[in-house]
Amino acid sequence: AIVRQIVAYKKAMEDRLLNVENQYADLKKRQSDHEATDEIRAMTYMGFIELGEEAFLLADEKGKTIMISPALARMLGLSIEEAVNGAWKDVIHPEDCPTTLMKWDAFVGGALAHLTLRFRFLTQAGQTIPATMKLVRKKVGQGGVFRIVGLVWQKKGDLPTEEAPVLQEKKKGNRS
């Protein structure tokens, strides 16, 4: 009778061990699938960012630029590396710079919940680009850390001078 109990106990322990091993393998597979899904999702987002025409930036809670879209870098005439290193602030028109950066600092410091900035960029080619930047704070994860997301666009009707005549000709052509 004791031998049967020992054999049954050994069998139960083996079954438990097999069950734990199966649960562990299932957990590893789900973790791997989750990581693969995250990687696919990240690659998809990066594709949208690289191919998209949206001009935006992402900054950390201290206002340091983390990422900038290729569209914004093109708008400013900067490389992505230059723009990420903060050069986008250097191309704010000198007349607009003090007020714009004062409002930026107030937003970064938490004095404002959201912010819309209207200012001009002065590109390296000497072109003035009137722009609007809408800033919001987005919480990341559960640690209370947030990121600043800024969407930038040119003001409607303020096209670079070399494009304006073409647009006017198209409008004239459509009226006839």
Side-chain angles (χ1 to χ4, degrees):
I2 293 178
V3 172
R4 272 192 232 150
Q5 286 178 341
I6 292 173
V7 169
Y9 179 75
K10 181 181 174 199
K11 173 76 171 126
M13 288 294 113
E14 288 173 352
D15 288 347
R16 280 186 178 170
L17 181 60
L18 183 60
N19 187 25
V20 168
E21 288 173 349
N22 287 339
Q23 287 177 350
Y24 179 75
D26 184 53
L27 180 64
K28 290 294 277 180
K29 182 182 179 335
R30 283 189 287 155
Q31 180 181 6
S32 175
D33 289 348
H34 181 70
E35 288 171 358
T37 301
D38 285 349
E39 187 174 336
I40 290 168
R41 188 176 295 131
M43 288 170 38
T44 301
Y45 289 142
M46 290 308 294
F48 285 131
I49 289 168
E50 289 173 8
L51 298 174
E53 291 301 315
E54 289 75 25
F56 71 90
L57 63 87
L58 180 67
D60 67 13
E61 66 277 0
K62 294 177 183 169
K64 182 182 181 319
T65 307
I66 298 171
M67 184 173 77
I68 194 161
S69 69
L72 182 55
R74 282 191 304 273
M75 180 191 294
L76 303 177
L78 298 171
S79 71
I80 291 176
E81 292 77 25
E82 289 171 324
V84 167
N85 289 326
W88 70 269
K89 294 177 185 176
D90 296 337
V91 294
I92 295 173
H93 194 284
E95 293 173 7
D96 300 341
C97 194
T99 304
T100 301
L101 292 182
M102 180 183 69
K103 290 178 181 178
W104 168 267
D105 291 341
F107 176 76
V108 169
L112 305 167
H114 53 84
L115 178 63
T116 300
L117 293 169
R118 288 179 179 80
F119 57 95
R120 296 166 291 169
F121 285 114
L122 185 60
T123 67
Q124 291 177 344
Q127 183 182 24
T128 300
I129 301 174
T132 299
M133 180 186 288
K134 183 133 189 141
L135 298 166
V136 294
R137 238 183 226 94
K138 292 292 180 184
K139 199 169 188 177
V140 179
Q142 309 230 342
V145 174
F146 67 90
R147 296 289 182 249
I148 297 168
V149 180
L151 184 61
V152 182
W153 63 94
Q154 283 183 251
K155 291 181 186 176
K156 290 182 181 178
D158 293 325
L159 297 173
T161 53
E162 62 271 9
E163 291 181 16
V166 175
L167 183 63
Q168 289 170 357
E169 287 174 20
K170 287 180 183 177
K171 285 182 181 177
K172 286 178 186 177
N174 290 340
R175 289 182 186 163
S176 41

